[in-house]
Amino acid sequence: MTLIDNHMPTADIQALDAAHHLHPFTDGAALNALGARVITRADGVMLTDSEGNEYLDGMAGLWCVNIGYGRKELADVAAAQMQQLPYYNTFFQTTHPPVVALAAKLAELAPGDLNHVFFANSGSEANDTNIRMVRHYWAAQGKPDKKVIISRNNAYHGSTLGASSLGGMSGMHAQGGMVPDISHIDQPYWYGEGGDMDAEAFGLERARLLEAEIARLGEENVAAFIAEPVQGAGAVIIPPASYWPEIQRICDAHDILLIADEVICGFGRTGSWFGSQTFGIRPDIMTTAKGLSSGYIPIAASIVSDKVADGINKGGDFNHGYTYSGHPVACAVALENLRILEEENIVGHVADVAAPYLQEKWSKLAGHPLVGEARCVGLMGALELTPDKSTRAKFKDGGAAGLICRTHCFDGGLVMRATGDTMIIAPPLVITPAEIDTLIERATDALDKTYEDLKAQGIV
Ligand code: PXG
């Protein structure tokens, strides 16, 4: 058996990495000068690097390892499925048991009448599917002009051309351009953009931007609105309670499909199976990926309502699909992951144990001199670093404080991400209160060290 392991000295792995591997979202030259950290194994909530250092993984990989690392059951099921039926497609009047079982399971878990599933391999591909599916849906209803999709600035929906166009990251739009007929409204980011406004009034104001944008474009031209229940990569932006009910009202009033991008929020992250349940959203389509397999294997799914499925079926062939849509091994692994989430009541653990415990400890970090806001929902949280708590001021050199803090976290055995000067966490859902204590201790230590560094540089 060939298991690629830490078979070489770290420096040799780093040299090969620098010579041949292009990293996502990375300044390659800067990384190659530093050398990448080499992660070699993981168990539970802990990672180990090639030097034997251990880290508490406060990001569950990339927001995906919901059941934690090292679950042998998923490996066993993959091996068994590979031996029985390693591959078959579902294009030409064929199907296979794992894809049917997973589609039925997702229909059971998903809220409302979201009973139909189109499979992909990544959240990006699933969102590309959604773009084509909603446009095809409206064309099949005799409304081919309804094709604009409204999204939000600072949203993240993936990196393919379609998904990055849906996303609201200007740095991505600047590289490679955008597909047409997508527009963006401002996000419900009260800490960063709410100024002196009351948070709930601000939430309503931001939701009503959707109604204004529909009016500007003409309802007859708008296909759908897409949004993450809680923006993840955008820095864990938790909307005010007033936001989602108003968005739902507007979508209903104007006959606009609502796509909830649950790639991060799905499968327990917010303390319910789906973020849509936590926020009372009734989507027509949910995008899911990441936690669907806890990241053990690539798989994603667009889960759609009876109305959307019936609607696209009226349009004849839906000319869309990936070689690996509903891959049998990926489906088998996802099903095993869902079995574990369900039988071990991991979503209940988030709701009843881990999230309330994190909420209590995390909110206390707001007392730190560097922290302007400490917010969390379920097991996702953010710390806004600021040079002046009283005014929620931003650092002049945006992003530098976040990077200093991230480095101190790594050095202290914690993976915590920096998005600009906002520190974010989303640990595996199986994290225990004792492990949350460790996370908080390490985060506090990193904040203290960052504060000392910034003081020494005269920044705070
Ligand atoms: N939607 C959302 C809400 C996501 O968070 C995607 C779609 C795309 O999924 P794929 O599987 O194509 O990556 C994502 C992915 C970050 C980061 O830096 C977040 C993601 C991916 C990479 C980095 O927080 N989310």
Side-chain angles (χ1 to χ4, degrees):
M1 185 151 97
T2 317
L3 186 65
I4 310 295
D5 200 357
N6 182 21
H7 57 302
M8 290 184 281
T10 301
D12 291 1
I13 301 178
Q14 288 172 327
L16 279 178
D17 188 72
H20 302 297
H21 177 205
L22 297 172
H23 289 243
F25 282 95
T26 295
D27 173 341
L31 173 71
N32 293 346
L34 278 173
R37 285 188 181 81
V38 183
I39 305 298
T40 51
R41 51 187 65 244
D43 192 42
V45 300
M46 300 300 294
L47 304 169
T48 306
D49 73 13
S50 54
E51 298 294 299
N53 299 309
E54 298 204 323
Y55 307 89
L56 195 158
D57 185 4
M59 281 308 296
L62 211 45
W63 320 80
C64 54
V65 188
N66 288 15
I67 63 168
Y69 297 95
R71 293 300 301 247
K72 186 170 175 297
E73 300 93 321
L74 272 64
D76 290 344
V77 100
Q81 184 60 48
M82 275 195 198
Q83 289 169 62
Q84 175 156 337
L85 180 71
Y87 176 75
Y88 204 70
N89 71 77
T90 62
F91 279 51
F92 310 116
Q93 207 192 335
T94 53
T95 194
H96 54 72
V99 76
V100 174
L102 182 59
K105 186 70 202 173
L106 287 172
E108 177 197 320
L109 291 172
D113 69 347
L114 296 170
N115 288 323
H116 313 268
V117 186
F118 197 105
F119 288 103
N121 307 288
S122 66
S124 304
E125 282 181 10
N127 277 328
D128 273 40
T129 298
N130 294 338
I131 295 173
R132 304 199 64 226
M133 187 154 54
V134 297
R135 290 178 178 170
H136 176 56
Y137 168 84
W138 285 115
Q141 313 317 300
K143 297 181 178 173
D145 292 338
K146 264 175 105 61
K147 55 184 181 218
V148 179
I149 302 173
I150 302 174
S151 178
R152 304 182 297 182
N153 294 321
N154 197 38
Y156 189 76
H157 296 298
S159 275
T160 52
L161 186 55
S164 64
S165 303
L166 286 179
M169 305 283 180
S170 52
M172 295 181 78
H173 298 162
Q175 297 174 343
M178 292 174 73
V179 302
D181 293 321
I182 290 174
S183 81
H184 297 85
I185 58 173
D186 281 333
Q187 57 182 338
Y189 179 25
W190 176 78
Y191 176 88
E193 300 173 2
D196 293 335
M197 258 183 115
D198 167 71
E200 297 309 323
F202 174 75
L204 273 184
E205 184 179 278
R206 285 289 158 107
R208 288 180 184 152
L209 292 178
L210 175 60
E211 201 152 41
E213 185 66 356
I214 294 169
R216 187 183 75 79
L217 293 160
E219 184 176 320
E220 65 285 4
N221 298 315
V222 181
F225 174 65
I226 182 167
E228 304 150 80
V230 177
Q231 285 153 264
V236 185
I237 310 244
I238 307 167
S242 57
Y243 183 76
W244 272 112
E246 185 65 1
I247 290 282
Q248 183 73 60
R249 180 193 69 72
I250 293 166
C251 289
D252 292 346
H254 298 283
D255 205 15
I256 305 298
L257 296 177
L258 176 52
I259 308 170
D261 185 339
E262 296 265 3
V263 168
I264 283 178
C265 293
F267 306 103
R269 176 61 57 199
T270 65
S272 315
W273 274 90
F274 297 97
S276 292
Q277 294 160 320
T278 301
F279 290 90
I281 309 165
R282 286 177 286 100
D284 298 286
I285 300 176
M286 291 196 313
T287 323
T288 64
K290 295 191 190 275
L292 170 54
S293 66
S294 284
Y296 279 60
I297 202 161
I299 185 167
S302 296
I303 312 177
V304 316
S305 66
D306 291 344
K307 175 176 109 174
V308 172
D310 291 348
I312 60 171
N313 286 341
K314 273 195 210 147
D317 280 3
F318 178 33
N319 298 317
H320 182 81
Y322 309 105
T323 301
Y324 301 129
S325 286
H327 191 286
V329 179
C331 289
V333 171
L335 268 172
E336 184 63 6
N337 171 62
L338 297 179
R339 184 192 68 72
I340 289 174
L341 275 173
E342 206 168 25
E343 285 184 16
E344 299 183 7
N345 189 26
I346 291 172
V347 183
H349 167 76
V350 175
D352 302 334
V353 180
Y357 194 77
L358 179 71
Q359 177 79 50
E360 185 199 327
K361 304 279 167 176
W362 192 253
S363 58
K364 294 201 175 114
L365 295 177
H368 193 279
L370 209 51
V371 176
E373 184 181 70
R375 57 178 178 266
C376 64
V377 59
L379 285 181
M380 58 200 296
L383 302 174
E384 297 278 4
L385 306 188
T386 173
D388 182 356
K389 289 162 81 88
S390 62
T391 60
R392 294 190 251 153
K394 293 191 189 350
F395 289 98
K396 282 203 188 72
D397 190 5
L403 279 185
I404 294 172
C405 188
R406 187 183 79 177
T407 303
H408 283 307
C409 287
F410 261 117
D411 293 347
L414 172 66
V415 178
M416 174 153 75
R417 265 210 39 203
T419 294
D421 293 313
T422 310
M423 306 308 299
I424 50 186
I425 56 154
L429 305 187
V430 292
I431 194 167
T432 63
E435 289 164 339
I436 290 174
D437 286 341
T438 305
L439 186 160
I440 297 287
E441 275 162 30
R442 293 180 184 180
T444 307
D445 192 47
L447 287 170
D448 289 345
K449 289 183 168 138
T450 305
Y451 190 54
E452 290 309 314
D453 287 354
L454 294 176
K455 265 206 301 209
Q457 294 173 31
I459 293 173
V460 291

